Amino acid sequence: EMESYKHFLAVLSAAAAFGIVSIIFVLRWVLHYREGLAWDGGLGEFNWHPVLQISGFIFLNGAAIIVFRLPWTWRCSKLIMKFIHAGLNLAAFICATISFVAVFDFHNAAQIPNMYSLHSWLGLAALVLFCLQIVLSVIIYLMPFSPASWRAAFMPLHVFFGRSLFGSVIAVALMGITEKLIFGLSNPKYKDSPPEAVFVNVMGVLLVAYGVAILWISTRTSWKRPNDLA
Ligand code: ASC
């Protein structure tokens, strides 16, 4: 009813604000405090990594998770909404993949080892599992030959692992942010709280707030899309 709709709009607005401000923050981080953006094997190429993770992997995956809950889409066909959900997740996956290439390129050019940190292990695991989720879900939910029994049986896993991956990617981003502040800040160092450190810490808080708002919206059963008849 009306009250519930007002609550939905309030939480959705909060989620949108946290997400959009996170993207503005990561752009200001790399463009103002850091070396900007480039594709030359240098730090400008590394900087695509946080930009594409936050605007791509995190923001677009969060949007995909809640897209069925937007009341103004309930008149659209279920199939169209499934394509929008899949398309947002595919775009998130492409951003995450380019973002991985950016770090590997940067490391290789600077002779920094790859895949030694916990951030890198969990990040690569998340990317691989996200890809697996997309492939299995396209087969099960978009292929016409897939039986209704598969669709129903896989749905709790699809939803649980979708939410888990979204939360995990935010946690992995927080590790990456912390690493970068420890590695990247010298004179004054991270422990001396220069303006960049405080700014980026705030960005981490915004990412957590975005994650919580998206997971709140996606776990309110009363805000679910009404089942399509026939
Ligand atoms: C689909 C679809 C759903 C689920 C449901 C099984 O393909 O559109 O809503 O699978 O039928 O949980």
Side-chain angles (χ1 to χ4, degrees):
E1 78 297 335
M2 207 57 216
E3 197 60 15
S4 173
Y5 185 59
K6 276 168 54 185
H7 291 156
F8 173 81
L9 285 185
V11 184
L12 181 70
S13 307
F18 292 137
I20 290 165
V21 176
S22 297
I23 294 171
I24 293 170
F25 266 56
V26 73
L27 287 171
R28 178 155 175 84
W29 185 22
V30 304
L31 297 175
H32 174 75
Y33 290 105
R34 290 279 129 200
E35 306 78 11
L37 293 168
W39 198 270
D40 57 2
L43 281 160
E45 183 166 341
F46 171 86
N47 289 343
W48 280 106
H49 182 66
V51 167
L52 289 171
Q53 289 303 322
I54 290 173
S55 65
F57 209 177
I58 295 174
F59 184 79
L60 295 178
N61 182 31
I65 285 173
I66 59 153
V67 81
F68 289 102
R69 303 212 165 203
L70 304 175
W72 51 91
T73 70
W74 289 349
R75 301 172 58 123
C76 300
S77 80
K78 182 73 176 286
L79 186 63
I80 291 285
M81 294 313 297
K82 286 162 76 166
F83 276 117
I84 293 172
H85 177 74
L88 286 166
N89 279 143
L90 183 64
F93 175 72
I94 290 168
C95 288
T97 304
I98 297 170
S99 147
F100 271 62
V101 172
V103 207
F104 280 83
D105 255 19
F106 165 70
H107 283 177
N108 295 343
Q111 304 207 4
I112 298 167
N114 290 303
M115 298 305 300
Y116 68 88
S117 67
L118 181 57
H119 169 70
S120 68
W121 290 17
L122 292 175
L124 185 60
L127 187 74
V128 169
L129 292 172
F130 195 81
C131 183
L132 184 67
Q133 167 86 316
I134 289 176
V135 170
L136 287 176
S137 305
V138 164
I139 294 170
I140 293 172
Y141 296 112
L142 287 173
M143 294 294 134
F145 60 76
S146 164
S149 62
W150 293 9
R151 293 169 190 258
F154 186 61
M155 188 51 81
L157 293 164
H158 175 80
V159 170
F160 179 82
F161 284 105
R163 288 181 187 137
S164 301
L165 274 168
F166 172 70
S168 300
V169 169
I170 292 176
V172 174
L174 301 180
M175 282 199 278
I177 288 164
T178 300
E179 277 188 359
K180 180 67 187 182
L181 291 171
I182 292 171
F183 297 158
L185 290 174
S186 55
N187 199 24
K189 295 160 90 82
Y190 189 23
K191 68 178 170 59
D192 302 314
S193 291
E196 178 181 347
V198 177
F199 183 82
V200 176
N201 283 358
V202 171
M203 185 180 76
V205 175
L206 288 168
L207 290 172
V208 172
Y210 177 68
V212 169
I214 292 293
L215 292 176
W216 178 263
I217 292 168
S218 102
T219 50
R220 292 317 87 197
T221 49
S222 63
W223 293 347
K224 278 181 81 165
R225 186 184 212 267
N227 281 323
D228 291 45
L229 303 169

PDB file of all heavy atoms in Angstrom, residues 36-48:
ATOM      1  N   GLY A  36      45.259  10.225 -12.204  1.00  0.00           N
ATOM      2  CA  GLY A  36      44.311  10.314 -13.308  1.00  0.00           C
ATOM      3  C   GLY A  36      44.124   8.968 -13.984  1.00  0.00           C
ATOM      4  O   GLY A  36      44.454   7.922 -13.420  1.00  0.00           O
ATOM      5  N   LEU A  37      43.584   8.984 -15.205  1.00  0.00           N
ATOM      6  CA  LEU A  37      43.267   7.757 -15.928  1.00  0.00           C
ATOM      7  C   LEU A  37      44.044   7.722 -17.237  1.00  0.00           C
ATOM      8  O   LEU A  37      44.152   8.741 -17.927  1.00  0.00           O
ATOM      9  CB  LEU A  37      41.756   7.677 -16.207  1.00  0.00           C
ATOM     10  CG  LEU A  37      40.877   7.497 -14.953  1.00  0.00           C
ATOM     11  CD1 LEU A  37      39.408   7.727 -15.303  1.00  0.00           C
ATOM     12  CD2 LEU A  37      41.076   6.119 -14.332  1.00  0.00           C
ATOM     13  N   ALA A  38      44.592   6.537 -17.549  1.00  0.00           N
ATOM     14  CA  ALA A  38      45.336   6.352 -18.799  1.00  0.00           C
ATOM     15  C   ALA A  38      45.335   4.850 -19.088  1.00  0.00           C
ATOM     16  O   ALA A  38      44.852   4.059 -18.273  1.00  0.00           O
ATOM     17  CB  ALA A  38      46.769   6.866 -18.663  1.00  0.00           C
ATOM     18  N   TRP A  39      45.854   4.451 -20.270  1.00  0.00           N
ATOM     19  CA  TRP A  39      46.003   2.999 -20.533  1.00  0.00           C
ATOM     20  C   TRP A  39      47.405   2.811 -21.096  1.00  0.00           C
ATOM     21  O   TRP A  39      47.603   2.585 -22.280  1.00  0.00           O
ATOM     22  CB  TRP A  39      44.905   2.498 -21.492  1.00  0.00           C
ATOM     23  CG  TRP A  39      44.778   1.000 -21.407  1.00  0.00           C
ATOM     24  CD1 TRP A  39      45.455   0.093 -22.164  1.00  0.00           C
ATOM     25  CD2 TRP A  39      43.941   0.249 -20.512  1.00  0.00           C
ATOM     26  NE1 TRP A  39      45.107  -1.188 -21.775  1.00  0.00           N
ATOM     27  CE2 TRP A  39      44.183  -1.129 -20.777  1.00  0.00           C
ATOM     28  CE3 TRP A  39      43.030   0.574 -19.493  1.00  0.00           C
ATOM     29  CZ2 TRP A  39      43.535  -2.150 -20.073  1.00  0.00           C
ATOM     30  CZ3 TRP A  39      42.393  -0.446 -18.808  1.00  0.00           C
ATOM     31  CH2 TRP A  39      42.641  -1.787 -19.094  1.00  0.00           C
ATOM     32  N   ASP A  40      48.408   2.948 -20.195  1.00  0.00           N
ATOM     33  CA  ASP A  40      49.808   2.997 -20.621  1.00  0.00           C
ATOM     34  C   ASP A  40      50.706   2.129 -19.737  1.00  0.00           C
ATOM     35  O   ASP A  40      51.918   2.294 -19.748  1.00  0.00           O
ATOM     36  CB  ASP A  40      50.297   4.457 -20.571  1.00  0.00           C
ATOM     37  CG  ASP A  40      50.138   5.067 -19.180  1.00  0.00           C
ATOM     38  OD1 ASP A  40      49.684   4.357 -18.240  1.00  0.00           O
ATOM     39  OD2 ASP A  40      50.468   6.257 -19.005  1.00  0.00           O
ATOM     40  N   GLY A  41      50.119   1.230 -18.948  1.00  0.00           N
ATOM     41  CA  GLY A  41      50.916   0.397 -18.050  1.00  0.00           C
ATOM     42  C   GLY A  41      51.323   1.091 -16.767  1.00  0.00           C
ATOM     43  O   GLY A  41      51.896   0.464 -15.880  1.00  0.00           O
ATOM     44  N   GLY A  42      51.041   2.385 -16.639  1.00  0.00           N
ATOM     45  CA  GLY A  42      51.418   3.137 -15.441  1.00  0.00           C
ATOM     46  C   GLY A  42      50.293   3.212 -14.416  1.00  0.00           C
ATOM     47  O   GLY A  42      49.300   2.483 -14.501  1.00  0.00           O
ATOM     48  N   LEU A  43      50.458   4.123 -13.464  1.00  0.00           N
ATOM     49  CA  LEU A  43      49.467   4.253 -12.389  1.00  0.00           C
ATOM     50  C   LEU A  43      48.111   4.725 -12.915  1.00  0.00           C
ATOM     51  O   LEU A  43      47.072   4.397 -12.336  1.00  0.00           O
ATOM     52  CB  LEU A  43      50.003   5.192 -11.298  1.00  0.00           C
ATOM     53  CG  LEU A  43      51.013   4.495 -10.370  1.00  0.00           C
ATOM     54  CD1 LEU A  43      51.878   5.515  -9.645  1.00  0.00           C
ATOM     55  CD2 LEU A  43      50.292   3.585  -9.367  1.00  0.00           C
ATOM     56  N   GLY A  44      48.127   5.490 -14.009  1.00  0.00           N
ATOM     57  CA  GLY A  44      46.861   5.894 -14.636  1.00  0.00           C
ATOM     58  C   GLY A  44      46.060   4.687 -15.121  1.00  0.00           C
ATOM     59  O   GLY A  44      44.831   4.711 -15.138  1.00  0.00           O
ATOM     60  N   GLU A  45      46.758   3.634 -15.505  1.00  0.00           N
ATOM     61  CA  GLU A  45      46.052   2.400 -15.900  1.00  0.00           C
ATOM     62  C   GLU A  45      45.567   1.653 -14.661  1.00  0.00           C
ATOM     63  O   GLU A  45      44.422   1.188 -14.630  1.00  0.00           O
ATOM     64  CB  GLU A  45      46.955   1.495 -16.751  1.00  0.00           C
ATOM     65  CG  GLU A  45      46.207   0.251 -17.220  1.00  0.00           C
ATOM     66  CD  GLU A  45      46.910  -0.513 -18.327  1.00  0.00           C
ATOM     67  OE1 GLU A  45      47.792   0.060 -19.005  1.00  0.00           O
ATOM     68  OE2 GLU A  45      46.566  -1.700 -18.512  1.00  0.00           O
ATOM     69  N   PHE A  46      46.421   1.569 -13.635  1.00  0.00           N
ATOM     70  CA  PHE A  46      45.962   0.956 -12.377  1.00  0.00           C
ATOM     71  C   PHE A  46      44.662   1.610 -11.900  1.00  0.00           C
ATOM     72  O   PHE A  46      43.756   0.923 -11.395  1.00  0.00           O
ATOM     73  CB  PHE A  46      47.031   1.075 -11.266  1.00  0.00           C
ATOM     74  CG  PHE A  46      46.488   0.654  -9.930  1.00  0.00           C
ATOM     75  CD1 PHE A  46      46.499  -0.672  -9.550  1.00  0.00           C
ATOM     76  CD2 PHE A  46      45.881   1.586  -9.084  1.00  0.00           C
ATOM     77  CE1 PHE A  46      45.930  -1.076  -8.343  1.00  0.00           C
ATOM     78  CE2 PHE A  46      45.306   1.192  -7.886  1.00  0.00           C
ATOM     79  CZ  PHE A  46      45.334  -0.134  -7.517  1.00  0.00           C
ATOM     80  N   ASN A  47      44.586   2.940 -12.039  1.00  0.00           N
ATOM     81  CA  ASN A  47      43.440   3.679 -11.489  1.00  0.00           C
ATOM     82  C   ASN A  47      42.103   3.281 -12.108  1.00  0.00           C
ATOM     83  O   ASN A  47      41.046   3.502 -11.495  1.00  0.00           O
ATOM     84  CB  ASN A  47      43.665   5.191 -11.622  1.00  0.00           C
ATOM     85  CG  ASN A  47      44.751   5.686 -10.675  1.00  0.00           C
ATOM     86  OD1 ASN A  47      45.107   4.990  -9.720  1.00  0.00           O
ATOM     87  ND2 ASN A  47      45.278   6.868 -10.949  1.00  0.00           N
ATOM     88  N   TRP A  48      42.114   2.675 -13.313  1.00  0.00           N
ATOM     89  CA  TRP A  48      40.869   2.123 -13.848  1.00  0.00           C
ATOM     90  C   TRP A  48      40.319   1.036 -12.936  1.00  0.00           C
ATOM     91  O   TRP A  48      39.118   0.744 -12.957  1.00  0.00           O
ATOM     92  CB  TRP A  48      41.062   1.560 -15.263  1.00  0.00           C
ATOM     93  CG  TRP A  48      41.064   2.628 -16.306  1.00  0.00           C
ATOM     94  CD1 TRP A  48      42.140   3.112 -17.004  1.00  0.00           C
ATOM     95  CD2 TRP A  48      39.917   3.379 -16.782  1.00  0.00           C
ATOM     96  NE1 TRP A  48      41.734   4.103 -17.877  1.00  0.00           N
ATOM     97  CE2 TRP A  48      40.386   4.283 -17.762  1.00  0.00           C
ATOM     98  CE3 TRP A  48      38.553   3.360 -16.457  1.00  0.00           C
ATOM     99  CZ2 TRP A  48      39.534   5.159 -18.426  1.00  0.00           C
ATOM    100  CZ3 TRP A  48      37.703   4.240 -17.130  1.00  0.00           C
ATOM    101  CH2 TRP A  48      38.190   5.130 -18.097  1.00  0.00           C
TER     102      TRP A  48
END
